[in-house]
Amino acid sequence: MPNYKLTIAYDGRRYNGWQKQPGSTNTIQGKLEEICGRLLNEQVEVVGSGRTDAGVHAIGQVANVKTNSSILPDELLNGLNDHLPKDIRVKNVEKVNDRFHSRLNAVGKHYSYRIDNGRVADLFTRKYSTRVEKPLDVERMRQAAYYLIGEHDFTSFCTNSGKKKSKVRIIYSIDIINVNGKISIDIHGNGFLYNMIRIISGTLIEVGLGKKNPEEVKDILEALDRSKAGITAPSTGLFLVSVDY
Amino acid sequence: MPNYKLTIAYDGRRYNGWQKQPGSTNTIQGKLEEICGRLLNEQVEVVGSGRTDAGVHAIGQVANVKTNSSILPDELLNGLNDHLPKDIRVKNVEKVNDRFHSRLNAVGKHYSYRIDNGRVADLFTRKYSTRVEKPLDVERMRQAAYYLIGEHDFTSFCTNSGKKKSKVRIIYSIDIINVNGKISIDIHGNGFLYNMIRIISGTLIEVGLGKKNPEEVKDILEALDRSKAGITAPSTGLFLVSVDY
C-alpha cells in the first residue's frame, strides 16, 4: 500500500494543536486529513510524529499517510498546498516503505524555543517568539542547561498526565544562541514529555533573570516534582524544527 | 530647542503609509504625532526622512521631533513604546543638534526588497515578502542590476508625479542575495523617486523570469519612459532599512 512521508510547516496560532480530537474541529491533523481525503478520494489518516499543543509552531513536523491511490509525490505536494490554508505548508512529500510510521520510527526530535530579549521588541517576529523585557544572562542559562543533558527522569519538567509511563528521556544537546538579543534555546533529544520544552525554557528563563541559580536545576531534576521547576513558557515561542528517523 | 532623532520600525500593512494626509487618518506619522503630543504635552511635528507608501515596512525609518520639553531620550523611547501600537516600535531616541532635519540632512538610504522564491512558500515570512512561484535566475538579475548603478536619470523607474523636478539619482550599490530561495534586493542610493525601488524590483523580477534580457535595462533607462520598465512590485516585500546622515 503506497505510503507517503510529509514534512509540514505550520503557524500554530489559529489552531487547537496538531491532534484531531472529538469536538475540537480546528486542528492541523484535521485540516490535512480533510484535504488529503479530497485529493485521494478516500478517507485517510495523517499520522503525525507526535502532537504539538495549541499555538505551537512547526518548521518540520513529519507525518505519513497510507492510501490506495498511487498519486505522484509532487502531485500530492502541489495539491495539498493549493488547498491548505496559507498558514499550513507541506514542504516535502516522498514515497516511503509501507512499514514507515512517523511516530513509532522517530528516534529524535529538535525543538527551538525563541525569546526576544532585545532592548526594544522586534515587531516582525513578535508572533513567533516570547518577549522577555528584562535582560537575560545567557551564560547562566547555559550553565543551568548543562545539568539537563543526558538520560534523566524528567518528571519535574512535565505536566503530569496522570499515567504511569516512564518519564525517562535523553537530551542530547541544548544550544543557547544569542544574536543581538534574539535568543533561541535549541533542544535535541530522543523524545519529549508533555510541556517538557516549555517547562525547561521557562526554568531557564528564570535562571537567566536571576530568580534561580543554575545549580538548582540539578536539585529540580532530582526532586521529581513539577512544582519545583519554573513556569511553563508560552506556546508562541515554541517550534518543532525536525524529526529524526 | 531640544531636538530628538527617532529610529523607527513598523509593519506597514495596517497603515496608509508614513505621511499624515487630510482625510487619511491611519498613518505612521499620525500615530507618532498623537503619542508624542500626549507625552510632551504639546502639539509637535514628527518629521520623517521621507514618506513610505501604504503597506511598505521599515526597519530603520528616521524622524526628528522638536519640542519645548526636555524629556530624557530614554523616557521618550519608553513612553512611545508603551503607548504605540505593537506594529510600530521606536528603536532608538537620541538628542541631536537643533539644526538636525531628518529629511534635509539625509544623504543616503538603504532599501531591501524581499522575494520568497523557495519551492514551497515560507509561511512565517509571507506577510513580509513577495511570493514568486517560478524560479528566478538570480545571476541574470545581477547582470541587469549592474546597468542601474551610478548616476542616471531614473524617469523610466518612477511613477510620474507630474512635477518638473530632476529625476537624476545615484545608486551606489545593488546587492542581490539568495539564501535558499529567499532573495533580497538590497539597494543603496542617495535618494529615490516615487515607486522607484518597486519598479526596479519588478523589472529585475521580469529579468529573472526570462521575460526581459539583462541588457534591456540599459535601453529602459535611456528611454526615459515608465512604460518600458517592468511592473511595480507589491509593497509587501519592501523595507526601508536605514537612512544615512
Side-chain angles (χ1 to χ4, degrees):
Chain A
M1 195 173 186
N3 189 13
Y4 297 91
K5 179 185 174 192
L6 314 181
T7 307
I8 306 150
Y10 45 85
D11 179 335
R13 286 179 297 147
R14 287 204 306 133
Y15 299 95
N16 297 317
W18 168 267
Q19 179 128 327
K20 208 176 47 175
Q21 276 164 33
S24 163
T25 48
N26 202 31
T27 65
I28 318 284
Q29 187 188 23
K31 281 282 173 208
L32 283 162
E33 291 189 352
E34 177 195 329
I35 310 294
C36 276
R38 247 195 271 166
L39 291 169
L40 302 169
N41 274 317
E42 63 177 327
Q43 206 178 323
V44 290
E45 194 184 351
V46 176
V47 181
S49 73
R51 52 181 87 179
T52 55
D53 285 345
V56 174
H57 314 296
I59 295 168
Q61 167 70 292
V62 173
N64 72 294
V65 192
K66 290 189 176 185
T67 169
N68 294 304
S69 160
S70 55
I71 189 168
L72 291 170
D74 269 8
E75 280 181 90
L76 185 55
L77 179 119
N78 293 332
L80 284 166
N81 286 330
D82 283 349
H83 294 94
L84 282 166
K86 286 199 187 305
D87 54 7
I88 304 177
R89 290 290 93 182
V90 177
K91 295 166 85 174
N92 195 54
V93 174
E94 57 180 307
K95 222 167 171 170
V96 285
N97 189 297
D98 67 352
R99 292 168 58 195
F100 175 81
H101 189 288
S102 65
R103 181 167 48 80
L104 300 177
N105 296 152
V107 294
K109 281 184 184 169
H110 287 259
Y111 278 93
S112 181
Y113 196 88
R114 300 187 182 171
I115 299 161
D116 180 1
N117 194 229
R119 192 188 164 206
V120 175
D122 177 9
L123 65 96
F124 296 109
T125 57
R126 74 190 193 283
K127 291 168 181 172
Y128 305 111
S129 62
T130 293
R131 174 74 182 148
V132 176
E133 291 280 343
K134 290 182 187 158
L136 290 166
D137 184 333
V138 173
E139 205 38 55
R140 280 171 61 95
M141 294 168 71
R142 291 191 183 116
Q143 287 163 21
Y146 169 81
Y147 296 104
L148 299 170
I149 311 292
E151 183 172 281
H152 300 286
D153 183 322
F154 285 97
T155 297
S156 296
F157 292 91
C158 83
T159 300
N160 203 328
S161 59
K163 289 175 193 154
K164 287 270 174 199
K165 284 184 183 170
S166 166
K167 301 290 195 294
V168 175
R169 294 291 184 277
I170 304 170
I171 292 185
Y172 302 122
S173 63
I174 303 181
D175 294 311
I176 307 181
I177 299 150
N178 179 12
V179 180
N180 299 322
K182 302 285 188 72
I183 296 169
S184 73
I185 303 174
D186 292 341
I187 307 189
H188 183 208
N190 71 339
F192 295 94
L193 304 163
Y194 187 50
N195 280 344
M196 181 167 155
I197 307 279
R198 289 167 60 186
I199 298 170
I200 288 176
S201 299
T203 305
L204 294 180
I205 289 169
E206 290 181 18
V207 171
L209 292 171
K211 293 181 186 173
K212 284 188 162 58
N213 288 317
E215 301 73 30
E216 277 180 69
V217 168
K218 194 170 178 288
D219 306 328
I220 296 169
L221 257 182
E222 287 168 1
L224 302 179
D225 176 357
R226 165 69 188 92
S227 72
K228 303 292 184 199
I231 57 152
T232 303
S235 60
T236 179
L238 183 56
F239 288 76
L240 170 55
V241 176
S242 60
V243 185
D244 308 331
Y245 293 96
Chain B
M1 193 176 190
N3 190 12
Y4 296 90
K5 179 185 175 193
L6 316 181
T7 307
I8 305 149
Y10 45 85
D11 179 335
R13 286 179 297 146
R14 287 204 307 134
Y15 298 96
N16 297 316
W18 168 267
Q19 178 127 327
K20 208 176 46 173
Q21 278 163 32
S24 162
T25 48
N26 201 32
T27 65
I28 318 284
Q29 187 187 25
K31 280 282 171 209
L32 283 161
E33 290 189 352
E34 178 196 328
I35 310 294
C36 276
R38 246 194 272 166
L39 290 169
L40 302 168
N41 273 318
E42 64 178 324
Q43 204 178 325
V44 290
E45 194 184 351
V46 176
V47 180
S49 73
R51 52 181 87 178
T52 54
D53 285 345
V56 174
H57 314 296
I59 295 168
Q61 168 70 291
V62 174
N64 72 294
V65 192
K66 289 189 177 186
T67 170
N68 294 305
S69 158
S70 55
I71 189 169
L72 291 171
D74 269 7
E75 280 181 273
L76 184 54
L77 180 119
N78 294 331
L80 284 166
N81 286 330
D82 283 349
H83 294 93
L84 281 165
K86 286 198 187 305
D87 53 7
I88 304 177
R89 291 290 94 183
V90 177
K91 294 167 84 174
N92 196 54
V93 174
E94 56 181 308
K95 222 168 171 170
V96 286
N97 190 297
D98 68 353
R99 290 167 60 195
F100 174 81
H101 188 287
S102 64
R103 182 166 49 81
L104 300 177
N105 297 152
V107 294
K109 280 183 185 169
H110 287 259
Y111 278 92
S112 180
Y113 196 87
R114 300 189 182 170
I115 300 162
D116 180 1
N117 194 228
R119 191 187 167 206
V120 173
D122 176 10
L123 64 96
F124 296 109
T125 58
R126 73 190 193 283
K127 290 168 180 171
Y128 306 110
S129 63
T130 293
R131 173 74 182 149
V132 176
E133 290 279 344
K134 289 180 187 160
L136 290 166
D137 184 333
V138 174
E139 205 38 54
R140 279 171 63 95
M141 294 167 71
R142 290 190 184 118
Q143 286 164 22
Y146 169 80
Y147 296 104
L148 300 170
I149 312 293
E151 183 171 279
H152 301 285
D153 183 321
F154 286 98
T155 297
S156 296
F157 292 92
C158 81
T159 300
N160 203 328
S161 59
K163 287 174 193 158
K164 288 270 175 199
K165 284 184 183 169
S166 167
K167 302 288 195 295
V168 175
R169 295 290 185 278
I170 303 170
I171 292 185
Y172 302 122
S173 63
I174 303 182
D175 294 310
I176 307 182
I177 299 149
N178 179 12
V179 180
N180 299 323
K182 301 286 189 71
I183 297 168
S184 73
I185 303 173
D186 291 341
I187 308 188
H188 183 208
N190 71 339
F192 294 94
L193 303 163
Y194 186 50
N195 281 345
M196 182 167 155
I197 307 278
R198 290 168 58 186
I199 299 171
I200 288 176
S201 300
T203 305
L204 294 180
I205 288 169
E206 291 182 18
V207 170
L209 291 171
K211 293 182 185 172
K212 283 188 163 59
N213 288 315
E215 302 73 29
E216 279 181 67
V217 168
K218 194 169 178 291
D219 306 330
I220 296 169
L221 257 183
E222 287 169 359
L224 303 179
D225 177 356
R226 166 69 188 93
S227 72
K228 303 292 185 199
I231 57 152
T232 304
S235 60
T236 178
L238 184 55
F239 288 77
L240 171 55
V241 176
S242 59
V243 185
D244 308 331
Y245 292 96

